[in-house]
Amino acid sequence: MDFVKDWELKWEDALKLWSDYVKLTPAKFLFSKSEEKTEGLSGSFAAIRLLDHRVLLSVEQIQKYKLENYPLEILGHEIGHHVYCPGDLNDQAKLIYLAGLALPKLGHLTSTIVNIYEDLYINDHLKRYNHLRMEEVYQRIGKNEDRFWNFYMRTYELLWALPSETLTEGKVDDLIQSDASLVCRMIRNFPNDWEKGMFDFASICFPYFFKSDGETIQILGKISSILDTLDAGKGMAPPSGITDIEVESEIFSSELGSIKKRELSPTDFSSICNAMGIEADISDIVYRYYKDKALPYLVPFPELRTPGAKEEILEGNDLWDPGSPLEKINWMESAIRSPIVVPGYTTVEDVYGETESQEVKMNPIDLDLFVDCSGSMPNPQTSLSYLTLAGAIISLSALRTGSHVRVTLWSGKKEYKTTSGFIRNEKEILKVLTGYFGGGTCFPLDLLEDGYKEKPKRKRHILMISDDGIDTMFTQRYPKDPRSIVKNALETAEGGGSMVLQLYNPKGNKIVTEMGESGWEIYPIQNWEGLIQFSKKFVQKNYVRNQILHQTNS
C-alpha cells in the first residue's frame, strides 16, 4: 500500500492534465471490501461520484491488476469523467436516453455501454494530448476472447496505431474490424460533441450481446472491472432540463425516421434516473419532469394593480390665521419676512397640495384549481398528461407573482386529493397535480361549500380543467342545491371563474351552456394538447391586456 502516498502526491499533476484551473476534492482511497461497499464501489477498481465530485479508488483491486505504477493514467481518467465526459448529471442522462433508444431489450446494459463510450473519448484524449500509457493499463487488466471485448480493444488499437493483438486476443474478424473503424471515426469526429455519436455507438454494440438463437449474452467480468460511472448519480436529485432530447445518427438514420427531437415521457425520465443510480421516489421524479416541461411556458398570473395613496407636495406659504393651530407656523419663513413677529400679520404657514403617488401596489389573485382525474384522463406518471402540464404552467405562474394556490385532484364521490389550503409550496402543489385516481366522476362540491362560506381576504380565481364530467357539479345528489353552492363560491371568490373543457359537441351540452350563462368563462377544446394554448390565452386575457390598459390610462 506504499503507492497510496505517491498517488496522493500526483493528484495535482493529474488535475493539470485537463487544466491549470480544475479544482476537485482529492481522491478517496478505500482499503477494504467493507469500505468499498459503504461507498458504493463494486466490481471496478475506480469510480466517480457526481454528488460530491469525488473519485473513489479500490486499493485491493489496483494491487490485484498491478496498476500501482499508473497514477496519472487512472487519476487522469477519473478526473476526465468529471470535467470532460460526461461532466455533469444532465449530460449523463442524455447519453443514457440515447443509448436506450438503440438498445431495445437491453435496458440493463444501457449504463455499461454509455460508460464504455465515455471511456473511449477520455482515454484517447489522454493518449494523444498527454502521451500517457493508456494501452498498458488495459494490458494489465488482460485479454479476453469475448467478441465485444475484442471489438472494444481493436478500437483502441486503431485509434493509437498499435499493432494487431497488442490488446486483442487472436485475429479479429472482418465485422469487428469494420465496427472498430466506424467507432474510431466517431471518436475523432465528435471530440467535443459526443452526444452526436451515442446512438450510433450503441447501435453498433447491440448485436454483440446476442447469440445466434437470439438469447442475450451476460456481460463479462473484464468489462465490469473498468466500469466507473454506473452509479454516478447515486444520492442526487433527478436531473433537470432533459424533457426533450435531440437524436442524431450518421449511420443508422433510417431507424430514427424523420423524428430528430424526442419528447420524453414520464416513464422514459424514470428509466433514465434508475439507470444512473438515482434512488428517488416516483413522486419526486414526476414532480421534476412536469416542472421542467412547464418552465418554458411560465407567464405572469392575473393580479390587481392599485395606485398608492396620494402624496403631499409643498406649494408655498400663506398668512397664518390666529385661529389655526400654533404648530402650523413656519417660524423660519416668518422671521425671514420680518424680524419682529406679529401673530396674524407677519406669521406664515406652509400650504400643501396633492400629487399622484408613483407607487403601485400589487394585489395578486389567488388560484383555486380543480383538475379532473377520472378514468377518462391520462395517468401523468406514465405518459405526458396535458391536464397536469397546464395545471403546472398556471400554478407556477401564479406563484411567481405572489399568489397562493390550492390544487384539488378529483375523481369519484369523496375521491379527491387537495393541498393543505392555499399555499406557496411548489413541490406540494405539483405532487398533488401529478397524482392519479382513474375512478368515476363526481365533482367535490363540499370543497366549494366549505371553502367559500366566508369572503376570503384576497380575491380568488376558480379554474376547472375537465371534460363532460364537469356536469356532475350540477347533476349529483347533494344535501343542498348544487347550483346555489356554485353560485355562492363564484360570487364570494370575486376573482372570476373559468372552465377549460374537452367537449366533442360544445353547443350540445345543456349543463355546460347553463354554467356559461351563470357567470363561468367556458373554454372548449377538441383535444388535451389545446390546454397549452389555453394557458397562454388565459394569461393574455386576464393579465397582460389589463396591465397595458392600466399603463395607458395612467
Side-chain angles (χ1 to χ4, degrees), residues 233-285:
K234 191 170 184 178
M236 298 189 72
S240 61
I242 57 166
T243 54
D244 299 301
I245 294 180
E246 195 81 21
V247 184
E248 298 186 51
S249 173
E250 298 290 330
I251 306 170
F252 301 98
S253 56
S254 59
E255 295 182 14
L256 293 175
S258 59
I259 301 176
K260 290 295 184 181
K261 178 172 282 190
R262 297 292 179 106
E263 187 174 64
L264 272 65
S265 69
T267 300
D268 294 330
F269 191 59
S270 179
S271 298
I272 290 171
C273 292
N274 291 334
M276 292 191 296
I278 296 174
E279 299 170 345
D281 187 82
I282 185 62
S283 61
D284 291 323
I285 292 174

Side-chain angles (χ1 to χ4, degrees), residues 61-351:
Q61 294 195 62
I62 289 172
Q63 290 178 317
K64 173 185 174 183
Y65 291 107
K66 296 180 171 53
L67 295 170
E68 296 94 331
N69 294 325
Y70 298 92
L72 288 182
E73 285 76 8
I74 295 174
L75 292 175
H77 177 92
E78 300 307 323
I79 293 168
H81 278 300
H82 282 297
V83 302
Y84 176 45
C85 184
D88 59 34
L89 194 66
N90 279 28
D91 283 345
Q92 180 75 356
K94 291 175 184 177
L95 294 177
I96 290 285
Y97 176 72
L98 292 170
L101 286 178
L103 296 170
K105 300 181 181 180
L106 293 177
H108 61 291
L109 295 180
T110 302
S111 298
T112 297
I113 299 303
V114 169
N115 197 157
I116 290 170
Y117 180 67
E118 294 167 343
D119 286 355
L120 282 164
Y121 282 100
I122 294 171
N123 290 333
D124 188 51
H125 179 97
L126 293 172
K127 178 68 177 177
R128 293 181 68 202
Y129 296 103
N130 304 105
H131 311 292
L132 296 183
R133 302 163 296 167
M134 306 309 296
E135 73 280 5
E136 293 184 21
V137 173
Y138 286 102
Q139 287 175 329
R140 295 281 180 173
I141 293 172
K143 296 182 178 182
N144 197 302
E145 294 182 353
D146 175 66
R147 283 180 55 77
F148 180 75
W149 182 261
N150 274 331
F151 148 66
Y152 182 44
M153 292 297 105
R154 183 57 184 159
T155 303
Y156 283 126
E157 290 178 346
L158 294 178
L159 283 170
W160 303 333
L162 300 174
S164 184
E165 298 188 46
T166 301
L167 301 175
T168 55
E169 178 71 23
K171 185 178 179 180
V172 299
D173 56 44
D174 291 341
L175 180 60
I176 290 178
Q177 180 70 22
S178 175
D179 288 345
S181 298
L182 284 173
V183 174
C184 183
R185 285 167 51 195
M186 285 181 210
I187 304 305
R188 291 292 161 83
N189 288 341
F190 310 128
N192 296 310
D193 196 5
W194 46 85
E195 285 179 29
K196 287 186 176 180
M198 184 71 258
F199 179 85
D200 287 343
F201 178 76
S203 298
I204 291 171
C205 295
F206 182 74
Y208 286 94
F209 296 97
F210 282 90
K211 294 181 180 178
S212 57
D213 59 1
E215 183 183 347
T216 59
I217 300 172
Q218 294 298 317
I219 201 82
L220 298 176
K222 291 289 183 185
I223 296 176
S224 62
S225 65
I226 62 170
L227 301 179
D228 51 359
T229 66
L230 292 189
D231 294 320
K234 191 170 184 178
M236 298 189 72
S240 61
I242 57 166
T243 54
D244 299 301
I245 294 180
E246 195 81 21
V247 184
E248 298 186 51
S249 173
E250 298 290 330
I251 306 170
F252 301 98
S253 56
S254 59
E255 295 182 14
L256 293 175
S258 59
I259 301 176
K260 290 295 184 181
K261 178 172 282 190
R262 297 292 179 106
E263 187 174 64
L264 272 65
S265 69
T267 300
D268 294 330
F269 191 59
S270 179
S271 298
I272 290 171
C273 292
N274 291 334
M276 292 191 296
I278 296 174
E279 299 170 345
D281 187 82
I282 185 62
S283 61
D284 291 323
I285 292 174
V286 177
Y287 154 70
R288 181 75 261 177
Y289 173 83
Y290 280 98
K291 181 177 179 180
D292 284 347
K293 291 290 287 185
L295 286 177
Y297 302 100
L298 292 194
V299 280
F301 189 71
E303 59 184 17
L304 298 178
R305 297 167 62 90
T306 307
K310 292 183 177 181
E311 299 176 354
E312 287 188 335
I313 183 170
L314 181 62
E315 293 184 342
N317 306 113
D318 198 3
L319 189 65
W320 175 78
D321 187 276
S324 298
L326 190 64
E327 59 266 19
K328 283 194 172 183
I329 297 176
N330 186 330
W331 293 105
M332 179 67 70
E333 189 65 29
S334 298
I336 292 173
R337 288 195 173 198
S338 173
I340 301 173
V341 178
V342 181
Y345 290 96
T346 63
T347 50
V348 295
E349 64 180 51
D350 294 333
V351 177

Side-chain angles (χ1 to χ4, degrees), residues 301-307 360-366 401-403 457-459:
F301 189 71
E303 59 184 17
L304 298 178
R305 297 167 62 90
T306 307
V360 176
K361 297 179 69 176
M362 298 299 186
N363 299 296
I365 299 175
D366 291 338
T401 60
S403 298
K457 294 181 179 179
R458 299 203 305 189
K459 293 184 178 182

